Amino acid sequence: MDKFTISKARRTDAIGREVKLQGWVRTRRDSKAGFSFLEINDGSCLANLQIICDAERANYETEIKRLSAGCSVTVVGQVKESGGKGQATEVHAEEVTVHGWADPEKFPLQKKRHSFEKLREWAHLRPRSNTFGAVARVRNCICNAIHQFFQAEEFLYVHTPIITASDCEGAGEMFRVTTMDLAEPPKKSGQVDFEMDFFDRPTYLTVSGQLEAEIFACALGKVYTFGPTFRAENSNTSRHLAEFWMVEPEMAFYDLDDNMKLAEQFIRHICATVMDECREDVDFFNQRIDDTVADTLATVADRDFVRLPYTEAVEILEKSGEPFEYPVAWGENLQSEHERFLTEKQFKCPVIVFDYPACIKPFYMRVNDDGRTVRAMDVLVPRIGEIIGGSQREERLDVLERRMAEQDLNTEDYWWYLDLRRFGTVPHAGFGLGLERTVQFVTGMSNIRDVIPFPRTPGNAEF
Amino acid sequence: MDKFTISKARRTDAIGREVKLQGWVRTRRDSKAGFSFLEINDGSCLANLQIICDAERANYETEIKRLSAGCSVTVVGQVKESGGKGQATEVHAEEVTVHGWADPEKFPLQKKRHSFEKLREWAHLRPRSNTFGAVARVRNCICNAIHQFFQAEEFLYVHTPIITASDCEGAGEMFRVTTMDLAEPPKKSGQVDFEMDFFDRPTYLTVSGQLEAEIFACALGKVYTFGPTFRAENSNTSRHLAEFWMVEPEMAFYDLDDNMKLAEQFIRHICATVMDECREDVDFFNQRIDDTVADTLATVADRDFVRLPYTEAVEILEKSGEPFEYPVAWGENLQSEHERFLTEKQFKCPVIVFDYPACIKPFYMRVNDDGRTVRAMDVLVPRIGEIIGGSQREERLDVLERRMAEQDLNTEDYWWYLDLRRFGTVPHAGFGLGLERTVQFVTGMSNIRDVIPFPRTPGNAEF
């Protein structure tokens, strides 16, 4: 007998097939006419499948009539056309085997809706709910779209290190990684003796794989990373995670224009793939979570992204008359409220702001001929603000060393990064996309803790 | 003008095209007839492309004749049929632009071959060598094959946490993650006060995502993880890394037979994909690194894997008469030498050993009816030994609790894992594949440090 997913069994071409289905009961309803309806779900799609069990089944009274939300079952039966609303098919059960019960007195996910806050405490059960099942499918779809995009463009996927002794840009607090006994760390001359630690030096969790990705781009052309990154910032907000996933493409012989073009194609590809492959889930998010989601996805697919120099962006913001909380001034970072104004109100589509002031950007971004700005770019999208940050990299050894000196960085710590400019240096560029912000953008989920399976935030590392 | 990769320009269908190529010089040779040959590489394939530059180019004397290994160039020219050996095409340069020089007195990667040990010190330059370029392409191909396989089988990719407060199976030393000041860690009653740490408790780097993957399998059916995992073991061998990548599929409603079948299909798919997409690189490894590589890949694709109960494996080993370093006895783990004997000498193909003694396996593996063995499996392949380890999971709450008690585990620490058995428990199974061992298997590279971009081992966290 064919094992069928519910997704397949819901299609009209399954009608007439004898199938085996395995999943979890969402609801049971008993008819006075002597049969019961089960709604079961197996994660293959958002919708449930209706199972009709008549009283003649041997275990009807002993088991079937005791089934409740969360119980696991195998159902063997025939797929038939359904007269019910919102479903093309239903299954008439010949056999229902119960694998596991879920005591309705104790199982938390009863029919009543729970807040997302509450569900975070039950992160081991929330994937069994409609919303978190849909988030998991969309997140998977986005990840797959990311790999497909870069593989089709002949990028190589590279794994940059998670444990690192360097700190990329000096930006962001880092977690320390150690095997030392914290109660009695070994000391030398009163200082912690890191030569006694596992790696013979202080080590941290990476904040970005960019610098190492540049190594591979400067050898093999086009590469991308896709892995976890970390920030030890004590930010208890709906926008920050201590552990999140990032995609970082890096391309030799690309300038900022090439970089912007790639970023635009990339975002478009993700949105188009999700609309194509997760239509049912997108409709769900549009109905239940945020009714702008479907329109936004369509806009991204349709309209060219606006390209806007930072200096013009500041002028627009200054003239806007909007009552911003943070002041706007050339030489200051754009705040989320400024970014959202540009993309949501001013242009109503994604905007790429580029050529930022050198003074607010890291040392590795290529300095423009004006000496004041660097070849940085941020892609802004509605609701989220910055979804991508990137730049053309400084490939000139002397300029790079000068910038490092300005920012008080020790060039010895970056000997290998400088070597890339000493030996066969090339113009190159890259960017980073935060996966969780992308999932938020596509689903409309407002809290970043709800788009990653097990969020890590200050005070939270359960599961 | 079309930007071409060298891979494309080497094909006969490029003949006659005007192309722009960008890459790095591998060698330069000057002919007395007044022109020079450049071999350039851009990472798109193993082979170089021959460029012919005649003396009429404006920068012939000033630049072209100064080019050496490692310099970066853009070449514009026409693809022509080549009379040279081992190449179908060559390019007659109309323009050669130099982007970056590589002082031959200082650039380490000269034509002379360097040992892999030496190249590890130059991990920022080794991707520019033939071997490490080929490793990068094969590793990318394997990663892509992994995602393609599971996506085609309708698995969902899930991200299990990297920072964790639980330790999976109590197996393996863990790295601690902290933001505390190691010089003065906060203390309470003389003990380190982890309530003052970032997550309000002791946290570590994950050794496996399995337990969390089970959460998603028990909600959505079939899932897989693919991410970094960590071991803080002080093992300075060619087989161990402190940071490595692992793939862990987990499937609801799968028993051990289903699990073995999936593992076999999975390994086959990886081998077939690499042979199909990286033929040139595989041939290179077969010629230069290990001349059994191509045959082994073909064997895996051709022959069914042997399935062998652990008890029979022990009997075979006991009767073999081989002079093993470690003794063989029922109830002991198989050592690498035993595994290799089974797969290389006894069966000459991959072998799946299953039903291991309960006493040497973790608490979460399903206990067989004999009470002495569990539904564990290891897939053994030539040269590597164990490449996959997996099991059917114990889905019975009472048996699981008994096994945890036997192994002195605190059930309170695993409340959420036990909840999966309290609410709608299902038979399920899964396995883990080490990515680096897979790359070693496919390439024949003998040291695991040479198949990951930036190896992390005791004392090594450079780059």
Side-chain angles (χ1 to χ4, degrees), chain A residues 201-460:
Chain A
R201 75 199 78 191
T203 49
Y204 309 91
L205 291 179
T206 185
V207 295
S208 163
Q210 177 201 318
L211 302 195
E212 289 92 352
E214 287 186 49
I215 287 173
F216 275 76
C218 292
L220 300 166
K222 296 191 290 187
V223 304
Y224 68 110
T225 72
F226 188 177
T229 41
F230 305 87
R231 295 283 186 283
E233 277 155 38
N234 202 353
S235 306
N236 242 319
T237 78
S238 61
R239 291 168 49 86
H240 292 88
L241 290 169
E243 173 181 315
F244 56 98
W245 285 68
M246 192 145 68
V247 184
E248 296 182 282
E250 191 72 33
M251 299 73 66
F253 304 105
Y254 264 51
D255 63 17
L256 191 69
D257 280 337
D258 300 323
N259 206 25
M260 290 196 269
K261 194 170 152 204
L262 185 78
E264 182 169 343
Q265 288 172 336
F266 179 50
I267 298 276
R268 265 182 211 294
H269 172 78
I270 290 172
C271 292
T273 306
V274 171
M275 282 200 294
D276 191 37
E277 296 179 4
C278 291
R279 192 70 234 188
E280 185 190 22
D281 293 313
V282 170
D283 289 343
F284 170 82
F285 288 114
N286 204 62
Q287 279 165 33
R288 298 294 190 89
I289 303 296
D290 184 326
D291 65 7
T292 67
V293 158
D295 278 354
T296 306
L297 288 178
T299 304
V300 173
D302 266 5
R303 289 193 50 185
D304 287 343
F305 291 15
V306 167
R307 298 190 186 184
L308 182 70
Y310 167 89
T311 302
E312 287 179 31
V314 169
E315 287 166 13
I316 289 171
L317 292 165
E318 283 173 337
K319 287 182 195 152
S320 70
E322 285 284 310
F324 293 122
E325 187 182 345
Y326 294 89
V328 177
W330 198 99
E332 298 290 327
N333 274 309
L334 299 184
Q335 299 295 323
S336 183
E337 57 177 344
H338 308 139
E339 294 172 343
R340 293 187 59 175
F341 173 81
L342 292 171
T343 180
E344 290 171 15
K345 296 197 181 165
Q346 181 74 19
F347 295 105
K348 298 186 175 61
C349 74
V351 177
I352 309 183
V353 178
F354 63 97
D355 284 350
Y356 282 77
C359 54
I360 54 170
K361 290 292 180 182
F363 71 95
Y364 52 71
M365 295 190 175
R366 193 178 198 280
V367 179
N368 278 312
D369 291 345
D370 64 15
R372 301 173 69 214
T373 59
V374 291
R375 302 248 77 191
M377 66 172 206
D378 283 349
V379 181
L380 316 179
V381 294
R383 258 188 299 107
I384 304 295
E386 181 197 329
I387 197 166
I388 276 179
S391 70
Q392 185 173 340
R393 318 308 186 185
E394 183 55 76
E395 87 281 14
R396 297 162 295 184
L397 181 62
D398 55 339
V399 182
L400 187 62
E401 285 177 328
R402 197 174 68 228
R403 287 274 288 160
M404 291 179 76
E406 282 167 16
Q407 301 195 5
D408 286 327
L409 293 167
N410 185 352
T411 53
E412 279 171 32
D413 293 344
Y414 294 85
W415 65 274
W416 53 266
Y417 191 70
L418 295 168
D419 265 7
L420 302 181
R421 279 74 181 168
R422 285 190 187 101
F423 305 121
T425 191
V426 292
H428 63 290
F431 61 80
L433 169 100
L435 176 62
E436 283 72 22
R437 291 206 181 161
T438 309
V439 182
Q440 285 188 278
F441 176 60
V442 167
T443 60
M445 295 293 285
S446 60
N447 194 315
I448 200 166
R449 298 169 197 215
D450 295 331
V451 296
I452 189 167
F454 304 97
R456 296 311 187 223
T457 55
N460 292 303

Side-chain angles (χ1 to χ4, degrees), chain A residues 3 22-24 42-43 70-73 99-102 106-108 121 123-124 127-128 133 136-137 139-140 143-144 147 151 154-157 159-165 175-180 182-183 185 187 192 194 198-201 203 205 212 215-221 226-228 230 232-234 242-243 245 252-253 415-416 419-420 422-427 435 453-454 456-463, chain B residues 3 5 22-24 42-43 70-73 99-102 106-108 121 123-124 127-128 133 136-137 139-140 143-144 147 151 155-157 159-165 175-180 182-183 185 187 192 194 198-201 203 205 212 215-221 226-228 230 232-234 242-243 245 252-253 415-416 419-420 422-427 435 453-454 456-463:
Chain A
K3 192 166 156 176
Q22 303 191 293
W24 290 266
D42 67 0
C71 296
S72 51
V73 291
H99 299 283
W101 299 97
K106 292 177 186 158
F107 183 58
E121 293 170 25
H124 64 310
R128 303 185 188 189
R137 282 185 297 272
R139 188 176 165 112
N140 170 73
C143 292
N144 193 36
H147 282 297
Q151 294 293 330
E154 299 185 300
F155 282 59
L156 295 178
Y157 180 34
H159 290 125
T160 48
I162 309 302
I163 300 173
T164 179
F175 287 102
R176 186 183 289 285
V177 175
T178 183
T179 54
M180 295 197 297
L182 298 198
K187 296 203 178 179
V192 176
F194 286 106
F198 189 90
F199 296 107
D200 301 356
R201 75 199 78 191
T203 49
L205 291 179
E212 289 92 352
I215 287 173
F216 275 76
C218 292
L220 300 166
F226 188 177
F230 305 87
E233 277 155 38
N234 202 353
E243 173 181 315
W245 285 68
F253 304 105
W415 65 274
W416 53 266
D419 265 7
L420 302 181
R422 285 190 187 101
F423 305 121
T425 191
V426 292
L435 176 62
F454 304 97
R456 296 311 187 223
T457 55
N460 292 303
E462 189 71 85
F463 306 103
Chain B
K3 192 165 156 177
T5 59
Q22 304 191 293
W24 290 267
D42 66 359
C71 297
S72 51
V73 292
H99 298 282
W101 299 96
K106 291 178 187 158
F107 183 58
E121 294 171 24
H124 64 309
R128 303 185 188 190
R137 282 185 297 273
R139 189 176 164 110
N140 169 72
C143 292
N144 194 35
H147 282 296
Q151 294 293 329
F155 282 59
L156 295 178
Y157 180 33
H159 290 125
T160 48
I162 309 301
I163 300 173
T164 177
F175 287 102
R176 185 183 289 284
V177 174
T178 182
T179 53
M180 294 197 295
L182 298 199
K187 296 202 178 178
V192 176
F194 286 106
F198 190 90
F199 296 107
D200 301 356
R201 73 198 82 190
T203 50
L205 291 179
E212 289 92 351
I215 287 173
F216 275 76
C218 292
L220 300 166
F226 188 177
F230 304 86
E233 276 154 40
N234 203 353
E243 174 180 315
W245 284 68
F253 303 106
W415 66 274
W416 52 267
D419 264 7
L420 303 182
R422 284 191 189 103
F423 305 121
T425 191
V426 292
L435 176 63
F454 304 97
R456 296 308 185 229
T457 55
N460 292 303
E462 189 72 86
F463 305 103

Side-chain angles (χ1 to χ4, degrees), chain A residues 76-127:
Chain A
V76 173
Q78 210 177 22
V79 183
K80 303 207 171 171
E81 196 178 339
S82 174
K85 205 182 139 200
Q87 58 192 25
T89 67
E90 61 191 24
V91 165
H92 291 235
E94 282 139 28
E95 218 181 291
V96 175
T97 311
V98 181
H99 299 283
W101 299 97
D103 181 347
E105 300 295 311
K106 292 177 186 158
F107 183 58
L109 297 187
Q110 298 302 325
K111 214 175 172 188
K112 130 183 196 327
R113 281 224 224 158
H114 298 283
S115 71
F116 291 154
E117 288 72 22
K118 192 74 208 164
L119 287 172
R120 262 171 240 149
E121 293 170 25
W122 300 325
H124 64 310
L125 299 175
R126 67 179 184 172

Side-chain angles (χ1 to χ4, degrees), chain B residues 35-65:
Chain B
F35 52 89
S36 296
F37 299 97
L38 300 177
E39 295 274 337
I40 67 168
N41 189 288
D42 66 359
S44 63
C45 58
L46 182 80
N48 303 324
L49 182 66
Q50 179 165 284
I51 312 290
I52 298 176
C53 315
D54 71 39
E56 284 164 36
R57 302 283 76 81
N59 60 345
Y60 184 73
E61 291 295 335
T62 54
E63 295 194 318
I64 293 173
K65 281 190 77 174

